[in-house]
Every structure is written in structure tokens, then in C-alpha cells.
């Protein structure tokens, strides 16, 4: 009797299963496609193995490779990636022995379980229930307001968290989980929320209100998706062609509408936006903005302070991805906007793979960097 595979929990994703023998599972990583079946990505997997009986086992993941911005890419999973495993779905540890075979497009994970059951995931999972736990813990804070600013393709609420004095002179906007697999952005957001509600942030809360969308694509997070919304739209593209007032745009890309609408209302009310950040994960750290913002004092200031913390990547300047939040918000609305990629591979400033706890701490550093600059 060999082991069994389960994915019947939020974020669970694996398959189809190609073969399952006594101690070896071979299965594809679920593949996400965009609306034109043109771009595709296979990054996220999260499953439980039962019946391991403490015996060594091996998982071979197949179907790797992506098409990113119209070009074939090995991305999604590469040798720099390593999975995390857990005995209880709460405490996760990083493996280091998984191997990537580029020619065969397989990723082999050797497992040495001590018990009968093991959870395996691409990164430490963070699902809606984790955000709900955070909300229940902090909801009594007098300077936190949580509202629903839209609904996803499948009707799930998308939340806008406001922290600080609503009448403050300016605002800072941060959004996470546009791409469902990028769980470290959620840990960063949790660290940011905790810091913003701390006594250390008392002063900045008076002069800047923080507008946070912690979970832009709740459907993708439940489904265990990699990148696209449930109708195939990449939620960090199409910002230049999405009007929240347009019924067809609301139907196809409600997540982008939910992220744009409160921002447009804020600006229509004559309010200031000091910066807008969209958080992502990829293998390495970097920040990206349009060239016109290369010397912008707020973006430069935040970037430099993050580098003084443990951020290890460049500030990349580019205009070409016109549909991304950071490019579209600048060109359409003149907002100083940037993307921040949080690296998931071994990083020089960590000397190792950053953990979820590292990303919670980075969220506090992000709060301090914004507070020192806006
Ligand atoms: Zn992303």
C-alpha cells in the first residue's frame, strides 16, 4: 500500500497525476492560461501526502515551463527554487535537495518523512483564512477600517484596509497577491499591517493614511492558481485598458476594477497619493518603475531605505509593459507607482532562502521606509 495525495483545502493544487507507485509520485504542476491561451504559467503546487509511514519517497513534478510576455521561459520553477514541507500545515521548513532538470522539464523532490503525513508546497502557503485570522486579531484597533471594495470573478469580496487618519495630508497605497502563487507578498503585507498598527507608527498615521489591498485575487488563492484570474486575465496587466465604470471590464477584470476604483475616487476627491506599490514574488529582488520616476524623491527614498534593510535588487526603469499597475498608474494618473519583487531564491542579504518570517519582518521595514520618506 503506497501513499495517497490530497489537495482538498484552500490553495491545494496538483495534477494531473501521471503515476503513483509505492514510494514515487509523478504529477504535473497545474497550468494557468491567459484569456487568449497565449501566456501560461505553472508555478504553484500545494498538496498533502498520506500513508507515508515514515518511509523515504520521491515526488517528480512535470509540465514545467512558461510563456511570459509572449516568450517561452523556463520561469515558474527553476533550480533556484526549493519547496517547503510541513508535518502539521502550520510550521514549514525549506528543503534544499530538490533538483530541476531543464531538458526533461521535471523537478524532483526527495522526501524523508518521519511520520505518516506531509504537506508540500512551492512556498509557505497564505490563504484567506490567514488574512481573516489577522483581521480578527487587529480589528479592535481604532485606526483600522476594513471595507469591501469589489468582488472577484467568482464573487469573493476584495478588501481594502485603511490604516491611519482618513483626513491625513497624503496617502500610500500597497497591493498584494495580484498573482495568487506569490504568498511571500502576503507575509510582507501582514508585517506591514502589524507595524502600521504599532506604537512606532503612531506619528506617520497622523500625516499619511495607508490604503492596502492585501488579497487582490481571492479566487486564485483558493484555487491554487499561479497567475491569472478565473477568466484568464493577468491582474498586473490590462490596467491601461480597464475602466471600473465599464460593465464589460467589471465582468472580465473585476479584481483590477476593485484595485483602481477606490484610487480613482480618492483622486477625484482632490486627495494626494504619495506612492503606489504592487508587491510580487519572483526568484530575485528588484523594484521597477517608469524612467520618468528615476529621480522621484519618494520612490528613490523608499528604495534606498529598503536596500539599507535587506533588499538586494536593482531599481529597474522601463515603460514597455504598459498594462502593469506601475506603468499605467503613472501614465494615466501621474501617480508615483512601482512594483517590488520579493525574491524567493537564495539571496545575498539573507545568505539563504528568505522565509515567511523574514518577509513579515521585511513588511515592517517597508513600513519604516515609507514612513521615513512620505
Ligand atoms: Zn507577480
Amino acid at each position: 500500500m503506497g501513499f495517497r495525495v490530497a489537495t482538498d483545502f484552500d490553495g491545494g493544487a496538483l495534477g494531473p497525476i501521471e503515476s503513483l507507485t509505492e514510494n514515487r509520485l509523478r504529477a504535473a504542476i497545474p497550468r494557468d492560461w491567459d484569456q487568449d491561451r497565449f501566456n501560461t504559467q505553472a508555478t504553484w503546487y500545494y498538496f498533502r501526502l498520506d500513508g507515508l509511514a515514515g518511509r523515504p519517497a520521491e515526488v517528480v513534478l512535470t509540465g514545467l515551463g512558461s510563456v511570459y510576455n509572449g516568450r517561452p521561459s523556463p520561469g515558474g520553477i527553476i533550480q533556484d527554487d526549493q519547496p517547503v514541507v510541513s508535518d502539521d500545515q502550520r510550521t514549514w521548513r525549506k528543503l534544499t535537495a530538490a533538483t530541476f532538470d531543464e531538458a526533461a522539464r521535471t523537478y524532483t523532490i526527495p522526501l524523508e518523512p518521519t511520520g505518516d503525513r506531509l504537506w508540500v508546497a512551492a512556498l509557505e502557503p497564505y490563504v484567506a483564512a490567514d488574512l481573516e485570522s489577522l483581521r480578527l486579531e487587529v480589528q479592535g484597533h481604532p485606526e483600522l477600517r476594513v471595507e469591501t471594495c469589489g468582488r472577484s470573478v467568482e464573487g469573493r469580496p476584495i478588501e481594502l484596509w485603511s490604516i491611519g487618519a482618513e483626513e491625513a495630508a497624503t496617502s500610500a497605497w500597497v497591493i498584494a497577491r495580484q498573482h495568487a502563487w506569490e504568498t511571500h507578498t502576503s507575509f510582507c503585507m501582514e508585517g506591514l499591517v502589524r507595524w502600521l498598527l504599532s506604537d512606532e507608527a503612531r506619528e506617520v498615521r497622523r500625516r499619511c493614511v495607508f490604503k492596502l489591498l492585501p488579497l487582490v485575487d481571492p479566487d486564485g488563492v483558493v484555487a491554487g492558481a499561479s497567475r491569472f484570474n478565473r477568466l484568464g486575465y493577468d491582474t498586473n496587466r490590462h490596467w491601461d485598458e480597464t475602466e471600473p465604470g465599464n460593465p464589460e471590464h467589471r465582468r472580465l477584470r473585476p479584481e483590477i476594477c476593485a484595485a483602481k476604483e477606490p484610487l480613482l475616487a480618492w483622486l477625484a476627491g482632490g486627495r494626494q497619493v504619495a506612492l503606489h506599490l504592487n508587491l510580487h514574488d519572483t526568484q530575485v529582488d528588484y523594484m521597477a518603475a517608469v524612467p520618468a520616476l528615476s529621480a522621484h524623491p519618494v520612490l528613490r527614498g523608499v528604495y534606498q531605505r529598503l536596500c539599507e534593510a535587506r533588499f538586494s535588487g536593482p531599481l529597474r526603469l522601463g515603460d514597455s509593459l504598459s498594462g502593469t499597475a506601475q506603468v499605467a498608474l503613472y501614465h494615466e494618473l501621474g501617480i508615483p507607482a512601482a512594483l517590488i519583487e520579493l525574491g524567493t531564491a537564495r539571496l545575498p542579504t539573507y545568505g539563504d532562502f528568505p522565509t515567511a518570517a523574514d518577509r513579515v519582518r521585511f513588511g515592517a521595514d517597508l513600513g519604516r521606509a515609507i514612513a521615513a520618506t512620505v
Side-chain angles (χ1 to χ4, degrees):
M1 182 71 180
F3 58 76
R4 301 175 303 283
V5 187
T7 55
D8 55 346
F9 41 86
D10 279 6
L14 185 70
I17 291 174
E18 296 171 10
S19 64
L20 178 58
T21 60
E22 191 158 337
N23 64 347
R24 190 167 187 269
L25 164 68
R26 185 179 166 98
I29 297 179
R31 178 162 292 280
D32 252 24
W33 293 90
D34 75 4
Q35 74 283 355
D36 300 321
R37 291 190 75 78
F38 180 59
N39 289 300
T40 176
Q41 190 166 328
T43 308
W44 181 251
Y45 53 90
Y46 177 22
F47 53 90
R48 188 184 71 235
L49 301 176
D50 294 304
L52 288 162
R55 292 189 302 260
E58 185 176 80
V59 174
V60 180
L61 298 178
T62 65
L64 306 186
S66 301
V67 176
Y68 182 70
N69 294 330
R71 292 182 185 162
S73 157
I77 291 180
I78 60 175
Q79 184 58 58
D80 288 344
D81 292 301
Q82 290 290 328
V84 290
V85 296
S86 173
D87 301 317
D88 59 8
Q89 212 180 8
R90 288 193 295 274
T91 307
W92 296 85
R93 58 187 185 276
K94 197 81 174 169
L95 297 184
T96 54
T99 53
F100 172 68
D101 183 331
E102 189 163 3
R105 291 198 167 192
T106 58
Y107 186 68
T108 300
I109 306 171
L111 298 172
E112 294 183 1
T114 54
D116 199 52
R117 132 187 297 205
L118 200 63
W119 281 263
V120 182
L123 274 182
E124 295 93 330
Y126 194 108
V127 296
D130 298 304
L131 183 64
E132 178 68 2
S133 293
L134 175 65
R135 192 180 66 77
L136 290 173
E137 185 188 324
V138 300
Q139 66 181 359
H141 196 290
E143 289 189 69
L144 168 69
R145 300 167 299 285
V146 178
E147 62 194 286
T148 297
C149 61
R151 290 194 176 265
S152 63
V153 168
E154 294 180 343
R156 293 187 176 84
I158 298 169
E159 292 180 353
L160 171 66
W161 294 34
S162 299
I163 299 176
E166 200 65 21
E167 66 280 8
T170 194
S171 64
W173 297 66
V174 185
I175 68 176
R177 297 302 280 280
Q178 282 169 292
H179 299 140
W181 81 269
E182 294 164 357
T183 63
H184 275 194
T185 67
S186 286
F187 291 101
C188 176
M189 183 63 89
E190 177 158 337
L192 175 62
V193 166
R194 290 183 185 283
W195 185 82
L196 288 173
L197 294 174
S198 73
D199 285 346
E200 194 183 338
R202 189 185 299 268
E203 185 269 334
V204 72
R205 290 198 303 265
R206 280 201 297 271
R207 56 187 172 81
C208 179
V209 59
F210 287 76
K211 299 283 181 177
L212 314 174
L213 272 84
L215 220 162
V216 173
D217 182 13
D219 297 346
V221 170
V222 170
S226 285
R227 186 173 191 91
F228 307 107
N229 83 353
R230 294 304 81 201
L231 293 173
Y233 287 90
D234 186 329
T235 52
N236 201 32
R237 299 292 185 274
H238 313 287
W239 280 60
D240 55 342
E241 54 184 14
T242 299
E243 296 290 341
N246 181 308
E248 188 67 356
H249 298 177
R250 290 184 91 89
R251 184 180 74 80
L252 297 174
R253 299 183 291 274
E255 298 84 6
I256 298 174
C257 292
K260 268 185 99 170
E261 195 162 27
L263 186 58
L264 292 171
W266 187 259
L267 293 168
R271 307 299 304 275
Q272 297 294 311
V273 175
L275 87 163
H276 185 287
L277 299 174
N278 61 91
L279 304 180
H280 296 266
D281 285 323
T282 189
Q283 277 86 17
V284 295
D285 284 353
Y286 70 89
M287 196 161 162
V290 298
L293 293 172
S294 65
H296 190 278
V298 174
L299 287 189
R300 272 281 164 200
V302 168
Y303 173 70
Q304 280 168 7
R305 284 175 187 278
L306 290 180
C307 291
E308 289 162 16
R310 297 176 90 175
F311 194 70
S312 60
L315 175 56
R316 294 185 185 171
L317 301 171
D319 251 332
S320 61
L321 294 175
S322 59
T324 58
Q326 69 274 12
V327 175
L329 290 178
Y330 175 75
H331 286 300
E332 186 181 331
L333 302 169
I335 291 174
L339 162 149
I340 297 181
E341 293 280 2
L342 306 175
T344 59
R346 279 196 180 88
L347 299 179
T349 45
Y350 290 84
D352 203 344
F353 296 93
T355 63
D358 288 326
R359 286 315 181 188
V360 172
R361 283 187 283 274
F362 185 82
D365 288 334
L366 178 60
R368 291 186 188 100
I370 296 171
T373 312
V374 295

